[in-house]
Amino acid sequence: MRFGKAVMLALILETMTGGVQAQKATATVTLNVTFVNPSCDITVPDSYNLGTLTLGSKEHEDLKITWHCASEIPLKTALMASIVTGVPQGDDKIRLIVGNKSSGTTLSLKEKGSSSPIKLMGINAQKYFCRDAKESNKKRTCTLTPVTNVSPEGPFGRASATLRFEVGYL
C-alpha cells in the first residue's frame, strides 16, 4: 500500500500527538484595594467673638463655614462638629469655660432656618448637619446661628470653648 506524502505526515503527527492531552492550569490572585475619599478643604473663622453677654438667651450673628472637596465626580457631603475644649451639656450644647472652671454660659449652634441645635458629638457619632441635597463638586457653604444662654451660676469673666468641624461623606 502506498500512501501519499500528506497522508503519511498526518498519520505520523497523529501517532505522535495522540497520547498527549491538554493540561489546564488555574491560579487565584487576591487584589487588595483601598478606596480613599477625596480630600476636602474646610474654612472656618479662626475665632468667633460672641461679644459681651448678659443674663438670658441670645442669638448671635451668623457663623459661615465653607468646604470644597477635590473631586471631579460629584459627591454628597455634610458637616460634623465635636467639642475640643469646654464642658459638654447633653449632645447639643457646650458650657463655656472661664480659666479652667465651667461657667454659667452654654452655647449651641443651629443650622440656618432650623429650630433644633446641631449635635456636637464628633465624627464617630455621624450626626451630620448642612447635608448636601444632591451630589456636587462645587464649593459649599453652611450658615450656623450661635445661641448662648447665660445663667447666674458659675464664674463670670472671659469665657471660651473650642469646636472642631469635619466633612463627612454620605
Side-chain angles (χ1 to χ4, degrees):
M1 215 188 241
R2 212 174 155 145
F3 292 105
K5 288 184 184 177
V7 173
M8 182 73 88
L9 183 59
L11 210 84
I12 293 171
L13 287 175
E14 177 63 30
T15 305
M16 290 173 51
T17 60
V20 178
Q21 293 182 352
Q23 295 285 328
K24 289 186 178 179
T26 62
T28 303
V29 176
T30 302
L31 301 173
N32 295 314
V33 177
T34 302
F35 293 102
V36 179
N37 285 319
S39 63
C40 298
D41 292 324
I42 186 168
T43 305
V44 185
D46 291 337
S47 65
Y48 180 92
N49 190 347
L50 295 168
T52 301
L53 302 177
T54 56
L55 292 175
S57 186
K58 179 181 179 181
E59 285 192 4
H60 300 270
E61 293 294 319
D62 291 341
L63 169 65
K64 292 192 186 287
I65 302 170
T66 59
W67 70 102
H68 181 263
C69 300
S71 173
E72 293 179 16
I73 300 169
L75 301 168
K76 279 182 106 171
T77 61
L79 295 178
M80 295 168 285
S82 58
I83 298 170
V84 177
T85 61
V87 181
Q89 297 292 288
D91 59 5
D92 59 4
K93 289 186 181 121
I94 181 172
R95 190 169 292 278
L96 304 180
I97 53 174
V98 175
N100 60 357
K101 295 181 181 179
S102 180
S103 75
T105 302
T106 59
L107 169 70
S108 60
L109 300 168
K110 296 187 305 186
E111 193 173 339
K112 191 73 169 182
S114 173
S115 60
S116 301
I118 66 169
K119 304 297 183 191
L120 304 173
M121 300 170 59
I123 194 164
N124 292 333
Q126 296 184 344
K127 299 296 182 182
Y128 301 108
F129 59 94
C130 291
R131 293 172 175 259
D132 288 334
K134 63 179 186 171
E135 291 85 1
S136 176
N137 57 358
K138 307 245 185 278
K139 183 177 181 181
R140 294 123 162 129
T141 300
C142 176
T143 304
L144 300 176
T145 303
V147 179
T148 53
N149 189 358
V150 180
S151 68
E153 64 187 62
F156 290 98
R158 190 169 182 83
S160 66
T162 305
L163 299 173
R164 175 182 296 122
F165 295 96
E166 298 175 77
V167 176
Y169 299 91
L170 305 177

